[in-house]
Amino acid sequence: MSVFLQQLINGLSIGSIYALMAVGYSLVYSILNFSNFAHGGVIMLGAYIGLYALHLLPNSFLGALVIAAFGAGLIAVVLEKVAYSPLRKRNAPSLYFIISAMGASIFLENLVIATIGPTFKTYPQIFNPVPFTFGNISVSRIDVLMFVIAAISLAILVFIIEKTKVGLAIRACSYSSRGSNLMGVNVNRIIFVIFLLGGMLAGVAGMLFGMKYTVYPQIGVITNKSFIAAVFGGLGSLPGAVVGSLLLGLIETLSSAYIASQYRDLIAFTLLIVVLVIRPSGIMGKITEDKA
């Protein structure tokens, strides 16, 4: 039982990071109907921004986290203006958006390799490494921090989506961008907002992931897992992205503990195939008109 509880805690911790990443996919998909595969590059840059921000502000973790969030959000907005906005103005097919996203992801990764270098970098030790202990269960402080910050960030996002005028406009645009535009909603501004929000969450996720593991140019590959979580929960559904992420984190840690760690990724991608075959809309997926 102690092993199960230990893996349960680990799964919720990594699942909360997947959730921060996955909601970025869902936000973009809910309005633009394509998967933003450049999201991984934004997460990677957020991890680097957080790393250098901590070196500049060694005694201010929250300050570095805010810098990482806003830095990644700004990068996501610039990325939309450069890679996607011209395609939107020409009413390009969704396939062109995906190709542009993949190109942007490769560009960002190689830009970091050329400027910062391909080597692994580690965050400075800013928290006591001694874990919390409850009987036979030990919980690292960074795991607790990851879960708490992810929960607060997602709660703020839900509040924005559900309780503000901007959130109402986002939900309206997810129902019908053209109809919302006819009703006076500035769709371009809403697209700016969703890329900013998704980018900020990506920055937070990148920094937390870098603190737990390491920072390297290929860190964006982890978004493959968050994309699986978004599909599993239902692309375009924010609650689905969160639920799918937590379930994926639990499946990974439990399969590592009770089966074998080398089968962890195999099980994750097998799950993706099964979900696409049995329920393409995901466990909480909705029809196009009700995506937000």
Side-chain angles (χ1 to χ4, degrees):
M1 179 58 70
S2 62
V3 174
F4 174 78
L5 292 176
Q6 182 72 66
Q7 297 307 317
L8 184 67
I9 294 171
N10 294 338
L12 291 175
S13 174
I14 190 63
S16 64
I17 300 302
Y18 287 158
L20 289 176
M21 300 176 184
V23 293
Y25 280 112
S26 290
L27 279 171
V28 173
Y29 186 86
S30 67
I31 294 180
L32 297 180
N33 289 309
F34 83 97
S35 297
N36 179 21
F37 289 112
H39 196 56
V42 178
I43 294 170
M44 177 264 296
L45 290 174
Y48 276 101
I49 293 171
L51 174 65
Y52 290 112
L54 267 181
H55 283 299
L56 292 175
L57 304 170
N59 297 319
S60 180
F61 165 73
L62 289 179
L65 186 67
V66 170
I67 292 174
F70 279 97
L74 178 61
I75 292 170
V77 169
V78 172
L79 186 65
E80 192 280 327
K81 294 298 182 184
V82 173
Y84 306 139
S85 183
L87 296 176
R88 287 194 295 109
K89 292 177 180 178
R90 295 201 299 268
N91 294 319
S94 296
L95 177 62
Y96 289 17
F97 285 86
I98 296 175
I99 294 173
S100 182
M102 295 175 67
S105 178
I106 295 172
F107 169 79
L108 293 176
E109 179 180 321
N110 284 275
L111 178 64
V112 170
I113 292 174
T115 55
I116 300 176
T119 57
F120 287 70
K121 297 182 182 297
T122 58
Y123 271 74
Q125 187 73 49
I126 57 175
F127 294 107
N128 190 336
V130 178
F132 297 111
T133 303
F134 306 96
N136 294 327
I137 301 172
S138 62
V139 184
S140 69
R141 296 173 189 267
I142 186 62
D143 283 335
V144 175
L145 184 72
M146 288 167 62
F147 185 81
V148 171
I149 292 179
I152 294 173
S153 301
L154 293 172
I156 293 173
L157 177 65
V158 170
F159 176 82
I160 292 173
I161 297 296
E162 297 292 337
K163 302 296 183 180
T164 66
K165 291 183 178 179
V166 172
L168 179 61
I170 291 174
R171 286 182 281 135
C173 288
S174 72
Y175 185 88
S176 173
S177 294
R178 181 175 299 179
S180 299
N181 189 42
L182 292 173
M183 295 300 293
V185 176
N186 189 332
V187 177
N188 288 327
R189 183 177 298 173
I190 296 305
I191 291 173
F192 168 87
V193 170
I194 64 169
F195 271 90
L196 178 63
L197 291 175
M200 291 177 68
L201 292 177
V204 173
M207 182 171 174
L208 293 176
F209 184 86
M211 289 177 62
K212 182 173 176 63
Y213 302 104
T214 56
V215 182
Y216 51 97
Q218 292 79 25
I219 196 175
V221 174
I222 193 66
T223 59
N224 290 336
K225 300 288 187 65
S226 60
F227 179 71
I228 292 174
V231 173
F232 184 37
L235 270 175
S237 170
L238 297 185
V242 175
V243 172
S245 298
L246 294 177
L247 287 176
L248 180 61
L250 291 172
I251 290 170
E252 282 193 351
T253 54
L254 291 175
S255 61
S256 296
Y258 293 104
I259 303 177
S261 60
Q262 60 264 34
Y263 295 127
R264 181 179 60 186
D265 291 345
L266 176 63
I267 292 173
F269 283 96
T270 301
L271 176 65
L272 173 63
I273 295 172
V274 171
V275 170
L276 288 174
V277 171
I278 298 177
R279 187 177 173 83
S281 60
I283 57 176
M284 296 182 69
K286 301 177 183 180
I287 60 176
T288 302
E289 290 78 3
D290 294 321
K291 286 180 294 188

